[in-house]
């Protein structure tokens, strides 16, 4: 069997199954990416935390598996902090512990609880906390803790979900071991799926650090905007106890089919907010080819909030340090008048993927029909974009098995997997 080409600039593990990014953090000059990983096979199972590091968010080096499953428990999604003030007592102020906060999932599916593991050698060796779990509601489904140091509360804050109740719970703690419930958040009329992988974080508006808004990400599956898995978010405020959305209207982070369970790095330098998503969809994640890895991450994207007109928008842009010379990184301009216009990207076998704008319906669309497998799912995605000006820019990044589309500086994003193959070399405008 010939192996399909591996993505050039997207993180993939050397082999085996990968899903959600976990424990994203910057520490001592390195970005750490932990991820849901099956060390023994190319299907979901034996969930453990794989590990990779990068100096520049562009080249990743895979590290040994960090936190392994046990005979009774899998290690589900979670997050990572550096305990600089030694609030846990695991390390010291001179040598702070990296602390992973993750969901322990009982293999018999009876219980999910939150637990800790820590490393005193910058993420190489991991030890489980002997008094785990640190948060147990005696629930079958309770998972995906995202913990950060909160400068409003001056303590640790955890966002964690009760997936089937479509609820995010916020907790606070002084030592990562004892947690107090602050509030619960749920949204009327949300998508018809379970909630996973929440992330709550502040962002400056228009680069003004005195004017912050809070963003809450929630991944939902199924019920994503284009079917299957998707991520939506709210912009609002955090009063130290509750998240108060500006509007109850759900906004979609990505209008493609393949961006799920994404979260942001803790402690990125210069107050940057950098995001990574799992470039996949639970609807077919176990059926895409294994080469011999299965699963890839999106490119790292920097998030900002900008005011355009009367609204605040969340923009996502590939990070500036991303080196894209080995892929197709192409920007074109759309001048909407009437009908469809855009670009077609073709491989030498004649198959193509199309990104365009329909000025009549005011929709961005991405058609991957000719570069997809027949999994009997929709192959054209569209995103509403009511552009009033004369022209706007579209940037696409096409790797060997994906296309990421960033409209108007990342105000609208569409991320889709493609059937693996050559990176398109012919671009035709229409
Ligand atoms: C999201 C998810 C999480 C869970 C993990 C298990 O894709 O279902 O809720 O922790 O994957 O691998």
């Amino acid at each position: 069997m010939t192996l399909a080409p591996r993505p050039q600039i997207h993180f993939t593990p050397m082999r085996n199954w990968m899903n959600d990014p976990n424990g994203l953090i910057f520490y001592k000059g390195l970005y750490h990416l932990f991820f849901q990983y099956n060390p023994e096979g190319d299907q979901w199972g034996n969930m453990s935390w794989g590990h990779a590091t990068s100096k520049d968010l562009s080249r990743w080096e895979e590290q040994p598996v960090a936190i392994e499953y046990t005979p009774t428990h899998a290690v589900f999604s979670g997050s990572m902090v550096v305990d600089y003030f030694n609030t846990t007592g695991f390390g010291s102020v001179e040598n702070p512990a990296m602390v992973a906060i993750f969901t322990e999932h009982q293999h018999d599916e009876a219980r999910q609880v939150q637990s800790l593991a820590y490393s005193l050698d910058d993420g190489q060796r991991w030890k489980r906390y002997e008094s785990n779990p640190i948060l147990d509601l005696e629930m079958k489904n309770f998972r995906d803790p995202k913990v950060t140091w909160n400068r409003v509360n001056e303590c640790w804050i955890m966002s964690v979900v009760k997936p089937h109740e479509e609820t995010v719970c916020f907790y606070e703690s002084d030592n990562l071991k004892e947690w107090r419930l602050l509030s619960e958040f749920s949204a009327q009329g949300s998508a018809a799926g379970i909630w996973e992988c929440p992330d709550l974080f502040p962002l400056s508006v228009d680069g003004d650090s005195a004017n912050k808004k809070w963003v809450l990400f929630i991944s939902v599956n199924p019920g994503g905007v284009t079917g299957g898995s998707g991520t939506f978010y709210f912009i609002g405020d955090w009063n130290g106890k509750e998240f108060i959305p500006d509007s109850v209207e759900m906004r979609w982070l990505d209008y493609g089919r393949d961006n799920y369970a994404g979260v942001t790095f803790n402690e990125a330098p210069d107050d940057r907010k950098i995001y990574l998503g799992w470039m996949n969809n639970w609807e077919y994640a176990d059926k895409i080819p294994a080469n011999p890895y299965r699963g890839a991450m999106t490119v790292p994207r920097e998030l900002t909030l900008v005011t355009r007109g009367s609204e605040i928008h969340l923009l996502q842009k590939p990070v500036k340090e991303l080196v894209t010379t080995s892929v197709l990184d192409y920007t074109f301009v759309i001048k909407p008048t009437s009908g469809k216009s855009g670009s077609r990207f073709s491989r030498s076998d004649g198959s193509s993927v199309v990104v365009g704008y329909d000025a009549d319906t005011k929709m961005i669309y991405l058609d991957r029909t000719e570069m997809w497998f027949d999994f009997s799912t929709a192959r054209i995605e569209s995103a509403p974009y009511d552009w009033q000006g004369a022209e706007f820019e579209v940037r696409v990044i096409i790797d060997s098995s994906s296309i990421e589309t960033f409209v108007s500086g990342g105000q609208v994003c569409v991320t889709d997997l493609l059937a693996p193959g050559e990176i398109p070399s012919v671009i035709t405008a229409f």
Side-chain angles (χ1 to χ4, degrees):
M1 190 184 86
T2 50
L3 296 182
R6 191 180 274 272
Q8 300 287 308
I9 64 165
H10 291 83
F11 176 73
T12 53
M14 202 46 81
R15 55 179 53 80
N16 294 334
W17 169 277
M18 172 178 80
N19 56 290
D20 315 357
N22 295 150
L24 304 180
I25 196 159
F26 180 81
Y27 183 48
K28 290 193 185 166
L30 283 182
Y31 290 90
H32 291 263
L33 156 62
F34 299 85
F35 48 89
Q36 286 288 280
Y37 187 56
N38 180 355
E40 282 147 45
D42 61 21
Q43 290 292 351
W44 186 88
N46 308 320
M47 294 323 291
S48 303
W49 277 27
H51 185 197
T53 52
S54 173
K55 287 195 182 91
D56 55 8
L57 292 166
S58 213
R59 282 164 295 262
W60 292 93
E61 253 178 66
E62 197 168 343
Q63 306 289 341
V65 172
I67 312 173
E68 263 177 280
Y69 72 98
T70 67
T72 51
H73 288 86
V75 186
F76 271 19
S77 287
S79 49
M80 180 76 61
V81 298
V82 176
D83 188 13
Y84 286 106
F85 305 122
N86 197 27
T87 63
T88 53
F90 292 157
S92 59
V93 174
E94 297 72 40
N95 185 32
M98 289 177 83
V99 185
I101 306 96
F102 57 92
T103 299
E104 276 194 294
H105 166 89
Q106 237 166 269
H107 293 315
D108 66 7
E109 306 209 326
R111 186 82 66 93
Q112 290 181 342
V113 297
Q114 317 318 320
S115 287
L116 305 179
Y118 60 95
S119 168
L120 298 176
D121 58 4
D122 306 337
Q124 291 309 304
R125 282 170 306 162
W126 292 86
K127 192 171 167 3
R128 281 175 157 84
Y129 172 46
E130 63 276 9
S131 301
N132 279 338
I134 44 100
L135 189 55
D136 179 2
L137 300 187
E138 303 191 357
M139 290 184 79
K140 201 168 142 55
N141 287 287
F142 177 47
R143 62 177 178 267
D144 305 342
K146 172 73 194 254
V147 176
T148 52
W149 180 258
N150 189 297
R151 292 188 175 84
V152 176
N153 294 55
E154 287 283 314
C155 65
W156 303 107
I157 296 280
M158 178 196 292
S159 322
V160 56
V161 284
K162 294 179 184 163
H164 296 266
E165 295 173 22
E166 297 176 26
T167 299
V168 184
C169 310
F170 299 110
Y171 287 85
E172 68 173 4
S173 172
D174 304 313
N175 56 11
L176 295 172
K177 296 170 180 170
E178 284 116 37
W179 293 89
R180 298 176 292 273
L181 179 67
L182 289 172
S183 61
E184 296 197 339
F185 174 86
S186 46
Q188 286 290 313
S190 79
I194 59 167
W195 286 14
E196 300 185 310
C197 302
D199 192 3
L200 173 74
F201 54 90
L203 266 186
S204 301
V205 180
D206 301 320
D208 173 6
S209 58
N211 179 14
K212 298 243 191 233
K213 294 297 277 185
W214 289 72
V215 179
L216 177 63
F217 281 179
I218 298 162
S219 283
V220 64
N221 179 59
V225 64
T226 46
S229 318
T231 301
F232 63 94
Y233 67 96
F234 299 99
I235 299 174
D237 292 299
W238 173 254
N239 65 9
K241 195 172 173 351
E242 296 161 304
F243 174 74
I244 302 140
D246 288 350
S247 150
V248 290
E249 186 199 335
M250 290 161 55
R251 306 194 196 191
W252 293 98
L253 188 64
D254 201 301
Y255 284 84
R257 301 214 77 207
D258 298 299
N259 184 0
Y260 191 62
V263 284
T264 58
F265 280 84
N266 280 343
E267 309 287 343
D270 305 322
D271 220 12
R272 290 168 81 195
K273 264 293 152 202
I274 297 166
Y275 164 93
L276 263 189
W278 174 44
M279 200 156 53
N280 222 325
N281 194 312
W282 279 116
E283 223 169 68
Y284 44 69
D286 60 342
K287 297 183 192 71
I288 61 170
N291 292 301
Y293 67 94
R294 191 177 258 136
M297 296 298 173
T298 63
V299 293
R301 303 174 181 185
E302 179 157 1
L303 307 179
T304 52
L305 289 178
V306 297
T307 313
R308 285 183 177 169
S310 57
E311 263 198 86
I312 299 177
H313 292 277
L314 179 79
L315 305 193
Q316 315 174 47
K317 274 191 195 137
V319 292
K320 57 180 187 295
E321 42 282 75
L322 191 72
V323 178
T324 58
T325 41
S326 57
V327 298
L328 181 64
D329 181 358
Y330 181 71
T331 300
F332 59 99
V333 171
I334 287 190
K335 298 186 175 159
T337 44
S338 67
K340 293 178 177 170
S341 54
S343 293
R344 172 181 291 276
F345 305 94
S346 309
R347 287 177 174 160
S348 52
D349 66 2
S351 64
S352 57
V353 57
V354 177
V355 176
Y357 185 63
D358 185 333
D360 301 333
T361 57
K362 300 195 181 306
M363 289 287 205
I364 300 285
Y365 65 95
L366 190 159
D367 184 348
R368 68 170 170 182
T369 307
E370 293 181 11
M371 282 197 199
W372 193 230
F373 318 92
D374 189 10
F375 292 143
S376 309
T377 54
R379 276 151 268 161
I380 302 176
E381 270 67 73
S382 43
Y385 191 53
D386 188 0
W387 180 253
Q388 301 297 338
E391 57 180 52
F392 61 88
E393 266 187 9
V394 179
R395 178 177 177 190
V396 297
I397 294 185
I398 308 183
D399 203 335
S400 62
S401 52
S402 62
I403 173 165
E404 287 161 285
T405 308
F406 303 90
V407 177
S408 289
Q411 186 174 327
V412 176
C413 290
V414 190
T415 302
D416 262 12
L417 288 178
L418 300 173
E422 146 207 330
I423 293 171
S425 49
V426 180
I427 305 169
T428 324
F430 62 92

